[in-house]
Amino acid sequence: DTGVSQDPRHKITKRGQNVTFRCDPISEHNRLYWYRQTLGQGPEFLTYFQNEAQLEKSRLLSDRFSAERPKGSFSTLEIQRTEQGDSAMYLCASSADVRSGELFFGEGSRLTVL
Amino acid sequence: EDQVTQSPEALRLQEGESSSLNCSYTVSGLRGLFWYRQDPGKGPEFLFTLYSAGEEKEKERLKATLTKKESFLHITAPKPEDSATYLCAPYSGNTPLVFGKGTRLSVIA
């Protein structure tokens, strides 16, 4: 296992379509995070899981967004009825212990909504 | 609400020209402050954790320091490969990490 992997790396979709991103964390990490990043901004927290439990969701996460982590392994982030404002880089990170500050990020999934 | 401000937003240096990046924060009960590096089109990469005021950490040409209200990332004799965006994130014990907007560093040969 060489790190956090995300798929797809790039997605172009039309407004109103649904998209789903997948994240495979480092296998021994029990915490998994989703962040969103737009140009010139730092990563903004969306949601996180400890094992299969979704423990916190940001107010940025509207009803059109849903995240799952079945069996505490990989996670999916689905965006329904995409809007142009959803265009961003969606970053996944995992960690074994958040107190160390070391989140391991994937390379991200870039979404473009036309 | 936790707040993080990084300055400058962008910094252009000549190779070998040392400088510092600033991260100011207002966080209740700081438990740590983290620095990350982000290359274009990639996810952030962890650099340092600082746990208490007065602490310093070093890695190659980078040195991070922490006071009660801010942290500095000092870059000594930078090289073009140090060009990246540097992000800081104070940690109060409440997940998740809140990141600053970052400083975009360009080092020109």
Side-chain angles (χ1 to χ4, degrees):
Chain A
D1 191 332
T2 58
V4 177
S5 63
Q6 293 189 242
D7 183 72
R9 293 290 314 281
H10 303 276
K11 178 71 176 179
I12 300 173
T13 190
K14 293 183 179 179
R15 188 176 53 188
Q17 298 295 304
N18 299 343
V19 296
T20 299
F21 301 113
R22 175 181 170 124
C23 172
D24 287 273
I26 294 173
S27 58
E28 62 267 28
H29 287 178
N30 60 5
R31 289 177 180 248
L32 185 149
Y33 306 80
W34 285 99
Y35 282 81
R36 180 172 69 187
Q37 188 175 27
T38 53
L39 195 64
Q41 302 294 315
E44 296 175 298
F45 169 76
L46 293 179
T47 188
Y48 92 97
F49 295 82
Q50 181 160 319
N51 299 314
E52 66 275 10
Q54 188 173 16
L55 297 187
E56 189 171 341
K57 293 192 293 186
S58 165
R59 62 181 182 275
L60 294 175
L61 213 66
S62 75
D63 292 344
R64 298 184 296 104
F65 288 70
S66 62
E68 295 182 340
R69 193 184 182 194
K71 303 179 182 178
S73 55
F74 72 92
S75 176
T76 59
L77 176 68
E78 181 183 16
I79 308 173
Q80 296 182 326
R81 304 181 304 280
T82 53
E83 301 172 356
Q84 288 186 327
D86 297 331
S87 296
M89 176 77 85
Y90 290 84
L91 294 163
C92 176
S94 69
S95 74
D97 178 5
V98 71
R99 291 170 297 178
S100 74
E102 190 166 5
L103 301 187
F104 291 82
F105 281 87
E107 300 220 322
S109 293
R110 180 168 295 285
L111 173 65
T112 301
V113 181
L114 302 177
Chain B
E1 182 177 320
D2 297 348
Q3 293 197 359
V4 187
T5 303
Q6 291 191 246
S7 61
E9 290 186 4
L11 181 62
R12 186 181 174 98
L13 298 173
Q14 293 293 320
E15 185 173 3
E17 179 186 2
S18 302
S19 188
S20 296
L21 314 182
N22 177 264
C23 171
S24 298
Y25 59 88
T26 53
V27 170
S28 299
L30 183 78
R31 294 192 181 183
L33 186 135
F34 312 128
W35 282 97
Y36 283 76
R37 168 190 171 130
Q38 186 172 26
D39 292 306
K42 297 195 172 183
E45 178 184 355
F46 174 79
L47 290 173
F48 304 110
T49 303
L50 300 166
Y51 289 106
S52 58
E55 186 175 2
E56 298 183 352
K57 292 277 180 72
E58 289 190 58
K59 181 179 181 179
E60 297 181 358
R61 294 174 294 282
L62 301 177
K63 183 170 77 173
T65 61
L66 181 66
T67 71
K68 289 185 177 180
K69 293 185 177 181
E70 57 191 350
S71 178
F72 292 94
L73 185 64
H74 307 278
I75 303 176
T76 302
K79 297 182 178 181
E81 53 261 42
D82 295 321
S83 298
T85 295
Y86 292 87
L87 300 161
C88 71
Y91 175 60
S92 63
N94 300 314
T95 52
L97 292 184
V98 176
F99 287 88
K101 292 184 178 181
T103 293
R104 189 171 65 254
L105 175 66
S106 300
V107 182
I108 311 302

